[in-house]
Amino acid sequence: MSHGTSTSAGSGSRSYGFFSRLLRPRNSDAERPDHGLFKESEGSITSIAWNNMSKNSPEATRIRTLELLGDIVKKRRLEVTSMEGIYHEIRDLLKTANGRGPSLKFLSIMTAAQIEQIGACLRHTFFETIKEIGCNELSVEWLVELTQSGENIEPFTVHIGPVLSSWIDELLAEKDHPLAEKVMKLTDGILKKNAPALNGESLSKIVCAVCRKACIPCDAQIKMCLSLLASILKYNRIPKAEVLAVVTTLCCLVNDRIHSAEAHQLMRNVLSSRNGYTTMRLLENICQRSKEPPKNVDIKTRDIIVRGAIFFLSTIIWGSNQIDDLQVTPPSILPALIEAPSTLLPLSDAML
């Protein structure tokens, strides 16, 4: 009886030893590209790997298997069916505290390495999963890999705008959120490669969030916000409902020594766009109604905006930076300049 017990224990020990070697290979094993998890032929993985990833295996075993597979999928091609199987086998880990990070990281690695193999259906599934997870460091990285930094947004072209606009609005509402720049960079990539995908309410939400952030003095993300506005102007357009927000933002920033040159160039771009005359009328209105600022604008902010408006109006028709595309004469804008508060007149005289 004791002999039988010893044999059983020995068998269990050998089984555990094999299992340990599979998940924690010796140096000689680590040099092999398959690590015992891939089949000899490319495209699939062994039954051992499937078993180790299954819901019946301990969570630690599943996570360790994903770590090993993460290194392997960078070098070996997977079939679409294998990737679909892996995703459905590990998707429950995305909902656990310990499994969410490793599984997201693996899916991002697999997506980057196998991007040419991933079909439309699986791409859509991945996007919907990212959307469900929400904005965090690993989900953002996964979306960057899935879209190839904005170059390929099929088959979720009509859905990516609302996701990005929601993320940007959320991130820019916080002070110096570390993910804000990464999401804005992805948005910039989409504007350059797939500009029509960002339109309507999504584009308005992005412009509004960017302008709101750019008006915060000394914020470290102002430069990136201005860069995104420049891309919107170049590859898309400013929604009509947000032109006033852009105009007042640039009027504020042109008074900022650090960002004045960028704000000036952006305003020239706005004035040269299809919104040029609308923008000019808004600048005139800012000057003419400056004595009655909106309730949410204090006197100090009003003065900053009016000074910017005076500067931009003057450059439309005077000096080497005048906008030739606008058919404007000095007498047409002088009434607006005259209406500016008397405290600003010395500054306007200097600008003129």
Side-chain angles (χ1 to χ4, degrees):
M1 180 67 67
S2 61
H3 179 71
T5 302
S6 175
T7 302
S8 176
S11 175
S13 176
R14 286 193 298 273
S15 175
Y16 180 78
F18 168 77
F19 184 70
S20 298
R21 288 195 299 274
L22 173 64
L23 295 181
R24 298 178 178 81
R26 298 186 302 271
N27 291 338
S28 59
D29 293 329
E31 294 172 359
R32 295 171 54 195
D34 60 357
H35 284 217
L37 298 179
F38 264 85
K39 289 184 177 179
E40 290 299 322
S41 60
E42 286 199 356
S44 188
I45 57 179
T46 64
S47 58
I48 295 176
W50 287 115
N51 290 336
N52 290 347
M53 283 190 298
S54 73
K55 299 177 180 65
N56 296 326
S57 295
E59 187 176 63
T61 300
R62 302 175 74 190
I63 291 172
R64 177 58 178 159
T65 303
L66 291 181
E67 291 174 355
L68 290 175
L69 285 176
D71 293 332
I72 297 169
V73 296
K74 296 176 183 177
K75 305 173 184 177
R76 301 286 294 271
R77 183 181 63 83
L78 278 176
E79 294 176 352
V80 174
T81 52
S82 294
M83 287 187 280
E84 290 174 345
I86 291 172
Y87 168 77
H88 288 292
E89 200 68 64
I90 68 171
R91 62 183 303 180
D92 63 300
L93 288 175
L94 295 170
K95 299 179 180 179
T96 69
N98 294 329
R100 184 179 298 112
S103 54
L104 271 174
K105 184 177 180 180
F106 169 77
L107 288 168
S108 179
I109 291 172
M110 184 176 72
T111 299
Q114 309 286 330
I115 192 66
E116 300 299 331
Q117 308 299 123
I118 302 175
C121 290
L122 189 56
R123 287 177 59 82
H124 183 267
T125 299
F126 283 177
F127 176 77
E128 288 298 318
T129 303
I130 292 169
K131 179 181 174 182
E132 182 181 346
I133 291 170
C135 184
N136 63 50
E137 183 177 359
L138 290 172
S139 63
V140 170
E141 182 61 35
W142 190 10
L143 186 58
V144 169
E145 299 296 354
L146 183 63
T147 62
Q148 294 175 281
S149 298
E151 188 171 340
N152 183 4
I153 55 174
E154 294 291 343
F156 40 82
T157 303
V158 298
H159 302 295
I160 195 164
V163 170
L164 286 178
S165 62
S166 177
W167 286 7
I168 287 177
D169 186 53
E170 174 188 336
L171 295 171
L172 292 184
E174 299 184 28
K175 181 176 175 57
D176 299 334
H177 196 292
L179 286 178
E181 186 171 345
K182 195 162 192 175
V183 174
M184 284 195 285
K185 187 176 180 180
L186 173 59
T187 305
D188 187 72
I190 291 175
L191 282 166
K192 291 175 179 177
K193 300 292 184 178
N194 297 282
L198 300 177
N199 53 45
E201 185 179 345
S202 297
L203 189 59
S204 291
K205 195 171 184 179
I206 291 171
V207 172
C208 185
V210 166
C211 288
R212 186 171 60 243
K213 187 68 168 182
C215 286
I216 299 175
C218 302
D219 194 278
Q221 294 170 339
I222 291 178
K223 190 174 184 66
M224 189 64 195
C225 288
L226 290 177
S227 177
L228 189 56
L229 277 179
S231 291
I232 292 172
L233 275 166
K234 184 175 182 179
Y235 301 104
N236 206 311
R237 64 182 179 85
I238 301 295
K240 195 169 184 179
E242 305 305 329
V243 175
L244 178 59
V246 173
V247 169
T248 53
T249 297
L250 297 179
C251 284
C252 283
L253 291 176
V254 79
N255 291 279
D256 186 332
R257 178 179 56 83
I258 298 175
H259 304 291
S260 60
E262 293 170 280
H264 189 191
Q265 183 57 53
L266 273 175
M267 181 59 83
R268 286 183 58 80
N269 294 344
V270 175
L271 288 166
S272 300
S273 70
R274 68 175 68 181
N275 291 318
Y277 284 102
T278 299
T279 300
M280 189 187 69
R281 299 306 173 204
L282 288 172
L283 290 170
E284 291 178 348
N285 287 339
I286 288 172
C287 292
Q288 290 171 335
R289 301 177 183 179
S290 58
K291 294 179 181 179
E292 300 177 0
K295 293 180 180 179
N296 61 336
V297 177
D298 57 46
I299 299 300
K300 182 179 179 181
T301 303
R302 179 210 64 179
D303 287 354
I304 292 173
I305 294 174
V306 172
R307 286 169 185 157
I310 292 171
F311 171 74
F312 287 132
L313 278 177
S314 68
T315 58
I316 289 175
I317 54 176
W318 286 299
S320 59
N321 292 320
Q322 60 184 291
I323 309 296
D324 296 329
D325 294 337
L326 295 176
Q327 302 299 317
V328 183
T329 60
S332 66
I333 66 170
L334 282 176
L337 296 175
I338 293 172
E339 287 294 323
S342 58
T343 55
L344 300 180
L345 287 178
L347 180 58
S348 66
D349 289 340
M351 288 181 173
L352 296 175

PDB file of all heavy atoms in Angstrom, residues 7 11 14 16-17 30 50 73 77 106 124 139 160 231 242-243 255 264 270 278 289 292 309 313 316 320-321 340:
ATOM      1  N   THR A   7       4.235   5.551  -5.497  1.00  0.00           N
ATOM      2  CA  THR A   7       4.178   5.627  -6.955  1.00  0.00           C
ATOM      3  C   THR A   7       3.267   6.748  -7.403  1.00  0.00           C
ATOM      4  O   THR A   7       3.570   7.513  -8.317  1.00  0.00           O
ATOM      5  CB  THR A   7       3.675   4.294  -7.535  1.00  0.00           C
ATOM      6  OG1 THR A   7       4.551   3.265  -7.117  1.00  0.00           O
ATOM      7  CG2 THR A   7       3.612   4.347  -9.049  1.00  0.00           C
ATOM      8  N   SER A  11       4.253   9.984  -9.530  1.00  0.00           N
ATOM      9  CA  SER A  11       3.606  10.362 -10.789  1.00  0.00           C
ATOM     10  C   SER A  11       3.147  11.803 -10.749  1.00  0.00           C
ATOM     11  O   SER A  11       3.310  12.555 -11.701  1.00  0.00           O
ATOM     12  CB  SER A  11       2.409   9.429 -11.039  1.00  0.00           C
ATOM     13  OG  SER A  11       1.700   9.837 -12.183  1.00  0.00           O
ATOM     14  N   ARG A  14       6.127  14.039 -11.119  1.00  0.00           N
ATOM     15  CA  ARG A  14       6.608  14.148 -12.496  1.00  0.00           C
ATOM     16  C   ARG A  14       5.678  15.024 -13.325  1.00  0.00           C
ATOM     17  O   ARG A  14       6.114  15.816 -14.155  1.00  0.00           O
ATOM     18  CB  ARG A  14       6.713  12.753 -13.114  1.00  0.00           C
ATOM     19  CG  ARG A  14       7.886  11.937 -12.593  1.00  0.00           C
ATOM     20  CD  ARG A  14       8.105  10.724 -13.469  1.00  0.00           C
ATOM     21  NE  ARG A  14       6.955   9.823 -13.459  1.00  0.00           N
ATOM     22  CZ  ARG A  14       6.781   8.862 -12.563  1.00  0.00           C
ATOM     23  NH1 ARG A  14       7.667   8.691 -11.583  1.00  0.00           N
ATOM     24  NH2 ARG A  14       5.718   8.084 -12.614  1.00  0.00           N
ATOM     25  N   TYR A  16       3.770  17.464 -12.203  1.00  0.00           N
ATOM     26  CA  TYR A  16       3.967  18.854 -11.804  1.00  0.00           C
ATOM     27  C   TYR A  16       5.271  19.392 -12.379  1.00  0.00           C
ATOM     28  O   TYR A  16       5.355  20.537 -12.819  1.00  0.00           O
ATOM     29  CB  TYR A  16       3.972  18.964 -10.282  1.00  0.00           C
ATOM     30  CG  TYR A  16       4.168  20.378  -9.792  1.00  0.00           C
ATOM     31  CD1 TYR A  16       3.103  21.275  -9.800  1.00  0.00           C
ATOM     32  CD2 TYR A  16       5.422  20.805  -9.360  1.00  0.00           C
ATOM     33  CE1 TYR A  16       3.279  22.578  -9.376  1.00  0.00           C
ATOM     34  CE2 TYR A  16       5.600  22.108  -8.934  1.00  0.00           C
ATOM     35  CZ  TYR A  16       4.527  22.984  -8.936  1.00  0.00           C
ATOM     36  OH  TYR A  16       4.709  24.265  -8.512  1.00  0.00           O
ATOM     37  N   GLY A  17       6.304  18.498 -12.400  1.00  0.00           N
ATOM     38  CA  GLY A  17       7.584  18.926 -12.951  1.00  0.00           C
ATOM     39  C   GLY A  17       7.468  19.285 -14.419  1.00  0.00           C
ATOM     40  O   GLY A  17       8.019  20.282 -14.880  1.00  0.00           O
ATOM     41  N   ALA A  30      13.985  27.945 -23.368  1.00  0.00           N
ATOM     42  CA  ALA A  30      13.563  29.302 -23.713  1.00  0.00           C
ATOM     43  C   ALA A  30      14.088  29.719 -25.070  1.00  0.00           C
ATOM     44  O   ALA A  30      13.541  30.608 -25.711  1.00  0.00           O
ATOM     45  CB  ALA A  30      14.050  30.287 -22.647  1.00  0.00           C
ATOM     46  N   TRP A  50      -3.990  25.433 -24.968  1.00  0.00           N
ATOM     47  CA  TRP A  50      -5.433  25.681 -24.854  1.00  0.00           C
ATOM     48  C   TRP A  50      -5.931  25.319 -23.455  1.00  0.00           C
ATOM     49  O   TRP A  50      -6.720  26.064 -22.857  1.00  0.00           O
ATOM     50  CB  TRP A  50      -6.200  24.864 -25.897  1.00  0.00           C
ATOM     51  CG  TRP A  50      -6.085  25.360 -27.304  1.00  0.00           C
ATOM     52  CD1 TRP A  50      -5.505  24.715 -28.355  1.00  0.00           C
ATOM     53  CD2 TRP A  50      -6.560  26.607 -27.816  1.00  0.00           C
ATOM     54  NE1 TRP A  50      -5.579  25.477 -29.492  1.00  0.00           N
ATOM     55  CE2 TRP A  50      -6.232  26.647 -29.192  1.00  0.00           C
ATOM     56  CE3 TRP A  50      -7.228  27.695 -27.256  1.00  0.00           C
ATOM     57  CZ2 TRP A  50      -6.546  27.723 -30.014  1.00  0.00           C
ATOM     58  CZ3 TRP A  50      -7.547  28.772 -28.071  1.00  0.00           C
ATOM     59  CH2 TRP A  50      -7.209  28.785 -29.431  1.00  0.00           C
ATOM     60  N   VAL A  73       3.872  35.072 -30.081  1.00  0.00           N
ATOM     61  CA  VAL A  73       3.062  35.578 -31.194  1.00  0.00           C
ATOM     62  C   VAL A  73       3.763  36.698 -31.961  1.00  0.00           C
ATOM     63  O   VAL A  73       3.360  37.044 -33.072  1.00  0.00           O
ATOM     64  CB  VAL A  73       1.682  36.078 -30.705  1.00  0.00           C
ATOM     65  CG1 VAL A  73       0.867  34.946 -30.141  1.00  0.00           C
ATOM     66  CG2 VAL A  73       1.829  37.214 -29.698  1.00  0.00           C
ATOM     67  N   ARG A  77       3.154  33.287 -36.970  1.00  0.00           N
ATOM     68  CA  ARG A  77       1.875  33.701 -37.528  1.00  0.00           C
ATOM     69  C   ARG A  77       0.747  32.835 -36.979  1.00  0.00           C
ATOM     70  O   ARG A  77       0.862  31.615 -36.913  1.00  0.00           O
ATOM     71  CB  ARG A  77       1.910  33.590 -39.055  1.00  0.00           C
ATOM     72  CG  ARG A  77       0.641  34.082 -39.743  1.00  0.00           C
ATOM     73  CD  ARG A  77       0.759  33.916 -41.242  1.00  0.00           C
ATOM     74  NE  ARG A  77       0.886  32.512 -41.610  1.00  0.00           N
ATOM     75  CZ  ARG A  77      -0.147  31.680 -41.755  1.00  0.00           C
ATOM     76  NH1 ARG A  77      -1.385  32.114 -41.536  1.00  0.00           N
ATOM     77  NH2 ARG A  77       0.047  30.425 -42.094  1.00  0.00           N
ATOM     78  N   PHE A 106      -1.678  41.205 -23.417  1.00  0.00           N
ATOM     79  CA  PHE A 106      -1.495  40.152 -24.414  1.00  0.00           C
ATOM     80  C   PHE A 106      -2.282  40.458 -25.685  1.00  0.00           C
ATOM     81  O   PHE A 106      -1.765  40.311 -26.800  1.00  0.00           O
ATOM     82  CB  PHE A 106      -1.935  38.796 -23.858  1.00  0.00           C
ATOM     83  CG  PHE A 106      -2.014  37.732 -24.915  1.00  0.00           C
ATOM     84  CD1 PHE A 106      -0.862  37.121 -25.394  1.00  0.00           C
ATOM     85  CD2 PHE A 106      -3.241  37.369 -25.467  1.00  0.00           C
ATOM     86  CE1 PHE A 106      -0.926  36.159 -26.394  1.00  0.00           C
ATOM     87  CE2 PHE A 106      -3.315  36.412 -26.465  1.00  0.00           C
ATOM     88  CZ  PHE A 106      -2.153  35.805 -26.931  1.00  0.00           C
ATOM     89  N   HIS A 124     -13.814  44.133 -35.341  1.00  0.00           N
ATOM     90  CA  HIS A 124     -15.004  44.743 -34.745  1.00  0.00           C
ATOM     91  C   HIS A 124     -15.203  44.262 -33.310  1.00  0.00           C
ATOM     92  O   HIS A 124     -15.547  45.049 -32.418  1.00  0.00           O
ATOM     93  CB  HIS A 124     -16.238  44.414 -35.585  1.00  0.00           C
ATOM     94  CG  HIS A 124     -17.492  45.060 -35.087  1.00  0.00           C
ATOM     95  ND1 HIS A 124     -18.352  44.429 -34.208  1.00  0.00           N
ATOM     96  CD2 HIS A 124     -18.016  46.290 -35.314  1.00  0.00           C
ATOM     97  CE1 HIS A 124     -19.359  45.239 -33.932  1.00  0.00           C
ATOM     98  NE2 HIS A 124     -19.186  46.371 -34.591  1.00  0.00           N
ATOM     99  N   SER A 139      -6.041  49.845 -22.630  1.00  0.00           N
ATOM    100  CA  SER A 139      -7.071  49.874 -23.675  1.00  0.00           C
ATOM    101  C   SER A 139      -6.724  50.907 -24.748  1.00  0.00           C
ATOM    102  O   SER A 139      -6.978  50.692 -25.937  1.00  0.00           O
ATOM    103  CB  SER A 139      -8.446  50.170 -23.073  1.00  0.00           C
ATOM    104  OG  SER A 139      -8.484  51.449 -22.478  1.00  0.00           O
ATOM    105  N   ILE A 160     -15.957  55.112 -34.089  1.00  0.00           N
ATOM    106  CA  ILE A 160     -14.741  55.522 -33.382  1.00  0.00           C
ATOM    107  C   ILE A 160     -14.802  56.981 -32.940  1.00  0.00           C
ATOM    108  O   ILE A 160     -14.223  57.355 -31.915  1.00  0.00           O
ATOM    109  CB  ILE A 160     -13.485  55.263 -34.243  1.00  0.00           C
ATOM    110  CG1 ILE A 160     -12.236  55.335 -33.355  1.00  0.00           C
ATOM    111  CG2 ILE A 160     -13.404  56.237 -35.419  1.00  0.00           C
ATOM    112  CD1 ILE A 160     -11.009  54.745 -33.975  1.00  0.00           C
ATOM    113  N   SER A 231      -4.735  70.471 -36.894  1.00  0.00           N
ATOM    114  CA  SER A 231      -5.049  69.315 -37.739  1.00  0.00           C
ATOM    115  C   SER A 231      -6.517  69.310 -38.145  1.00  0.00           C
ATOM    116  O   SER A 231      -6.854  68.945 -39.276  1.00  0.00           O
ATOM    117  CB  SER A 231      -4.702  68.017 -37.001  1.00  0.00           C
ATOM    118  OG  SER A 231      -3.309  67.870 -36.862  1.00  0.00           O
ATOM    119  N   GLU A 242     -19.024  75.646 -33.102  1.00  0.00           N
ATOM    120  CA  GLU A 242     -17.854  75.792 -32.230  1.00  0.00           C
ATOM    121  C   GLU A 242     -16.890  76.881 -32.695  1.00  0.00           C
ATOM    122  O   GLU A 242     -15.825  77.048 -32.110  1.00  0.00           O
ATOM    123  CB  GLU A 242     -17.096  74.456 -32.153  1.00  0.00           C
ATOM    124  CG  GLU A 242     -17.931  73.272 -31.715  1.00  0.00           C
ATOM    125  CD  GLU A 242     -18.646  73.485 -30.393  1.00  0.00           C
ATOM    126  OE1 GLU A 242     -18.104  74.215 -29.539  1.00  0.00           O
ATOM    127  OE2 GLU A 242     -19.749  72.941 -30.226  1.00  0.00           O
ATOM    128  N   VAL A 243     -17.263  77.625 -33.737  1.00  0.00           N
ATOM    129  CA  VAL A 243     -16.369  78.678 -34.232  1.00  0.00           C
ATOM    130  C   VAL A 243     -16.131  79.732 -33.156  1.00  0.00           C
ATOM    131  O   VAL A 243     -15.003  80.200 -32.959  1.00  0.00           O
ATOM    132  CB  VAL A 243     -16.940  79.328 -35.512  1.00  0.00           C
ATOM    133  CG1 VAL A 243     -16.067  80.514 -35.941  1.00  0.00           C
ATOM    134  CG2 VAL A 243     -17.014  78.305 -36.640  1.00  0.00           C
ATOM    135  N   ASN A 255      -2.496  86.578 -26.470  1.00  0.00           N
ATOM    136  CA  ASN A 255      -1.923  87.431 -25.429  1.00  0.00           C
ATOM    137  C   ASN A 255      -0.867  86.713 -24.598  1.00  0.00           C
ATOM    138  O   ASN A 255      -0.218  87.325 -23.754  1.00  0.00           O
ATOM    139  CB  ASN A 255      -3.036  87.924 -24.490  1.00  0.00           C
ATOM    140  CG  ASN A 255      -3.970  88.908 -25.158  1.00  0.00           C
ATOM    141  OD1 ASN A 255      -3.668  90.084 -25.269  1.00  0.00           O
ATOM    142  ND2 ASN A 255      -5.114  88.418 -25.616  1.00  0.00           N
ATOM    143  N   HIS A 264      -1.725  83.014 -33.407  1.00  0.00           N
ATOM    144  CA  HIS A 264      -1.826  83.926 -34.550  1.00  0.00           C
ATOM    145  C   HIS A 264      -1.941  83.146 -35.859  1.00  0.00           C
ATOM    146  O   HIS A 264      -2.784  83.445 -36.711  1.00  0.00           O
ATOM    147  CB  HIS A 264      -0.607  84.847 -34.575  1.00  0.00           C
ATOM    148  CG  HIS A 264      -0.717  85.953 -35.576  1.00  0.00           C
ATOM    149  ND1 HIS A 264       0.337  86.757 -35.920  1.00  0.00           N
ATOM    150  CD2 HIS A 264      -1.769  86.376 -36.330  1.00  0.00           C
ATOM    151  CE1 HIS A 264      -0.053  87.630 -36.830  1.00  0.00           C
ATOM    152  NE2 HIS A 264      -1.326  87.425 -37.095  1.00  0.00           N
ATOM    153  N   VAL A 270      -8.051  80.009 -39.710  1.00  0.00           N
ATOM    154  CA  VAL A 270      -9.507  80.084 -39.552  1.00  0.00           C
ATOM    155  C   VAL A 270     -10.081  81.152 -40.477  1.00  0.00           C
ATOM    156  O   VAL A 270     -11.094  80.940 -41.153  1.00  0.00           O
ATOM    157  CB  VAL A 270      -9.888  80.390 -38.085  1.00  0.00           C
ATOM    158  CG1 VAL A 270     -11.398  80.582 -37.958  1.00  0.00           C
ATOM    159  CG2 VAL A 270      -9.434  79.266 -37.167  1.00  0.00           C
ATOM    160  N   THR A 278     -17.508  84.557 -41.120  1.00  0.00           N
ATOM    161  CA  THR A 278     -18.182  84.333 -39.838  1.00  0.00           C
ATOM    162  C   THR A 278     -17.255  84.699 -38.685  1.00  0.00           C
ATOM    163  O   THR A 278     -17.667  85.339 -37.708  1.00  0.00           O
ATOM    164  CB  THR A 278     -18.601  82.853 -39.705  1.00  0.00           C
ATOM    165  OG1 THR A 278     -19.500  82.524 -40.755  1.00  0.00           O
ATOM    166  CG2 THR A 278     -19.262  82.598 -38.363  1.00  0.00           C
ATOM    167  N   ARG A 289     -19.622  94.405 -28.250  1.00  0.00           N
ATOM    168  CA  ARG A 289     -20.410  94.045 -27.068  1.00  0.00           C
ATOM    169  C   ARG A 289     -19.533  93.798 -25.842  1.00  0.00           C
ATOM    170  O   ARG A 289     -19.966  93.165 -24.883  1.00  0.00           O
ATOM    171  CB  ARG A 289     -21.233  92.794 -27.369  1.00  0.00           C
ATOM    172  CG  ARG A 289     -22.192  92.974 -28.544  1.00  0.00           C
ATOM    173  CD  ARG A 289     -22.937  91.693 -28.851  1.00  0.00           C
ATOM    174  NE  ARG A 289     -23.796  91.847 -30.016  1.00  0.00           N
ATOM    175  CZ  ARG A 289     -24.549  90.874 -30.530  1.00  0.00           C
ATOM    176  NH1 ARG A 289     -24.540  89.670 -29.965  1.00  0.00           N
ATOM    177  NH2 ARG A 289     -25.299  91.096 -31.591  1.00  0.00           N
ATOM    178  N   GLU A 292     -20.630  94.457 -22.239  1.00  0.00           N
ATOM    179  CA  GLU A 292     -21.634  93.568 -21.645  1.00  0.00           C
ATOM    180  C   GLU A 292     -21.192  92.117 -21.828  1.00  0.00           C
ATOM    181  O   GLU A 292     -21.768  91.367 -22.612  1.00  0.00           O
ATOM    182  CB  GLU A 292     -22.991  93.788 -22.304  1.00  0.00           C
ATOM    183  CG  GLU A 292     -23.517  95.208 -22.158  1.00  0.00           C
ATOM    184  CD  GLU A 292     -24.823  95.405 -22.895  1.00  0.00           C
ATOM    185  OE1 GLU A 292     -25.297  94.429 -23.520  1.00  0.00           O
ATOM    186  OE2 GLU A 292     -25.367  96.508 -22.847  1.00  0.00           O
ATOM    187  N   ALA A 309      -9.096  90.182 -29.889  1.00  0.00           N
ATOM    188  CA  ALA A 309      -9.984  90.484 -31.018  1.00  0.00           C
ATOM    189  C   ALA A 309      -9.527  91.733 -31.759  1.00  0.00           C
ATOM    190  O   ALA A 309      -9.538  91.782 -32.998  1.00  0.00           O
ATOM    191  CB  ALA A 309     -11.414  90.655 -30.513  1.00  0.00           C
ATOM    192  N   LEU A 313      -8.434  91.747 -35.659  1.00  0.00           N
ATOM    193  CA  LEU A 313      -9.137  92.609 -36.611  1.00  0.00           C
ATOM    194  C   LEU A 313      -8.164  93.534 -37.339  1.00  0.00           C
ATOM    195  O   LEU A 313      -8.291  93.772 -38.541  1.00  0.00           O
ATOM    196  CB  LEU A 313     -10.201  93.443 -35.886  1.00  0.00           C
ATOM    197  CG  LEU A 313     -11.542  92.762 -35.617  1.00  0.00           C
ATOM    198  CD1 LEU A 313     -12.455  93.687 -34.820  1.00  0.00           C
ATOM    199  CD2 LEU A 313     -12.219  92.335 -36.913  1.00  0.00           C
ATOM    200  N   ILE A 316      -6.211  91.802 -40.087  1.00  0.00           N
ATOM    201  CA  ILE A 316      -6.966  91.382 -41.264  1.00  0.00           C
ATOM    202  C   ILE A 316      -6.714  92.321 -42.441  1.00  0.00           C
ATOM    203  O   ILE A 316      -6.613  91.889 -43.592  1.00  0.00           O
ATOM    204  CB  ILE A 316      -8.483  91.328 -40.942  1.00  0.00           C
ATOM    205  CG1 ILE A 316      -8.781  90.143 -40.010  1.00  0.00           C
ATOM    206  CG2 ILE A 316      -9.309  91.194 -42.225  1.00  0.00           C
ATOM    207  CD1 ILE A 316     -10.223  90.090 -39.546  1.00  0.00           C
ATOM    208  N   SER A 320       1.762  93.442 -42.996  1.00  0.00           N
ATOM    209  CA  SER A 320       2.194  92.386 -43.921  1.00  0.00           C
ATOM    210  C   SER A 320       1.444  91.080 -43.719  1.00  0.00           C
ATOM    211  O   SER A 320       1.523  90.178 -44.550  1.00  0.00           O
ATOM    212  CB  SER A 320       3.700  92.136 -43.739  1.00  0.00           C
ATOM    213  OG  SER A 320       3.983  91.749 -42.398  1.00  0.00           O
ATOM    214  N   ASN A 321       0.722  90.958 -42.601  1.00  0.00           N
ATOM    215  CA  ASN A 321       0.009  89.712 -42.304  1.00  0.00           C
ATOM    216  C   ASN A 321      -1.476  89.779 -42.637  1.00  0.00           C
ATOM    217  O   ASN A 321      -2.250  88.949 -42.172  1.00  0.00           O
ATOM    218  CB  ASN A 321       0.172  89.362 -40.815  1.00  0.00           C
ATOM    219  CG  ASN A 321       1.598  88.981 -40.469  1.00  0.00           C
ATOM    220  OD1 ASN A 321       2.254  88.293 -41.237  1.00  0.00           O
ATOM    221  ND2 ASN A 321       2.083  89.458 -39.337  1.00  0.00           N
ATOM    222  N   ALA A 340     -14.670  99.332 -28.567  1.00  0.00           N
ATOM    223  CA  ALA A 340     -13.900  98.649 -27.523  1.00  0.00           C
ATOM    224  C   ALA A 340     -13.794  99.539 -26.293  1.00  0.00           C
ATOM    225  O   ALA A 340     -13.781 100.760 -26.396  1.00  0.00           O
ATOM    226  CB  ALA A 340     -12.511  98.310 -28.045  1.00  0.00           C
TER     227      ALA A 340
END
